[in-house]
Amino acid sequence: MSAVVVTDIARADAAAVDGLALHGVATVHEAMGRVGLAGPSLTPIQQGARIAGTAVTVLSWPGDNLMIHAAVEQCRAGDVLVVATTSPSSDGAFGDLFATALKARGVRGLVTATGVRDTQDLRDMGFPAWSNGVHSQGTVKATPGSVNVPVVVDGMVVRPGDVVIADDDGVVCVPRERAAEALAAAEARVAKEEADRAAYAAGAELSLDRKGLRALLADLGVRYVSQAAYEAGDGR
């Protein structure tokens, strides 16, 4: 693995990033065609936080947080720190001291394939984090890695400057070139869902009808039969 710190990354448009934060992970993931979602190993240490920011990425060796120290210098307001390791690691590579330094630089949160610790302190200071677990095991500072290179975190590819959105439902990444497109798609999806919600709340329509699913059921061979007919053997 080459060891580099890339210092001049391009970042997604800030207005698009802030707009995506309003819509959350599930909406953005669906609006973008169900791509970019991280696997379920990344879970929040808090509830109720929703963030979006531009990725500063770290590729570290397991059990070693040297490159996180190097990455802090590359962070600026509106970023999210994204940490991956060259092989699986649950060690607590991130804690309250890192969070203090990052918060002072305007960083919005952490997404890491490692473990985290000092979780109550992180919650108390309002620094949200998504990790593969909570583990007090410490790390060393001995092995070179890289900052601001493409990384993969539980199946989610993140390049420096991409948009990372995280909330109670997980984490999703939008390529920086597609930030405006993703925002427009998310806004359209929200508008459609608001209309659906109003119809369902009023009891005016069923999803079977609003989504045209009755014809699909028929095309797939699904039949409606009475209980008596079913018990008599029809439909089994």
Side-chain angles (χ1 to χ4, degrees):
M1 181 179 73
S2 62
V4 297
V5 175
V6 181
T7 61
D8 55 347
I9 65 170
R11 288 171 166 86
D13 176 72
V17 174
D18 291 343
L20 287 167
L22 300 175
H23 298 306
V25 170
T27 295
V28 174
H29 172 58
E30 293 284 352
M32 287 292 290
R34 296 189 296 177
V35 297
L37 187 67
S41 73
L42 297 180
T43 58
I45 65 165
Q46 67 288 306
Q47 292 293 303
R50 175 180 289 174
I51 64 169
T54 43
V56 168
T57 64
V58 179
L59 183 59
S60 292
W61 282 74
D64 193 311
N65 70 0
L66 174 62
M67 299 314 295
I68 299 179
H69 288 272
V72 172
E73 183 180 24
Q74 303 306 317
C75 291
R76 71 185 196 192
D79 286 340
V80 171
L81 187 67
V82 179
V83 180
T85 52
T86 57
S87 60
S89 175
S90 61
D91 294 340
F94 187 97
D96 71 303
L97 291 178
F98 275 138
T100 299
L102 291 173
K103 189 172 182 181
R105 301 178 78 87
V107 174
R108 294 176 174 175
L110 168 77
V111 172
T112 180
T114 72
V116 296
R117 58 186 188 178
D118 306 326
T119 53
Q120 186 60 56
D121 296 318
L122 299 185
R123 288 189 290 269
D124 288 345
M125 71 171 63
F127 189 86
W130 288 257
S131 72
N132 79 359
V134 176
H135 196 189
S136 292
Q137 177 64 50
T139 56
V140 299
K141 301 163 184 60
T143 316
S146 293
V147 175
N148 283 332
V149 298
V151 297
V152 179
V153 182
D154 199 358
M156 176 181 67
V157 178
V158 184
R159 300 171 307 153
D162 284 349
V163 188
V164 174
I165 303 120
D167 61 20
D168 289 347
D169 292 335
V171 185
V172 68
C173 179
V174 174
R176 62 179 180 269
E177 301 90 345
R178 300 188 65 190
E181 173 194 347
L183 178 57
E187 289 173 342
R189 183 175 180 84
V190 167
K192 179 182 180 302
E193 289 185 344
E194 286 177 350
D196 289 344
R197 191 174 295 107
Y200 301 153
E205 291 182 84
L206 297 173
S207 58
L208 280 174
D209 300 306
R210 283 189 68 85
K211 298 181 182 298
L213 298 178
R214 293 190 189 278
L216 176 60
L217 289 174
D219 289 344
L220 294 174
V222 178
R223 296 187 297 118
Y224 287 77
V225 299
S226 68
Q227 182 178 10
Y230 181 77
E231 291 177 347
D234 186 14
R236 295 188 186 180

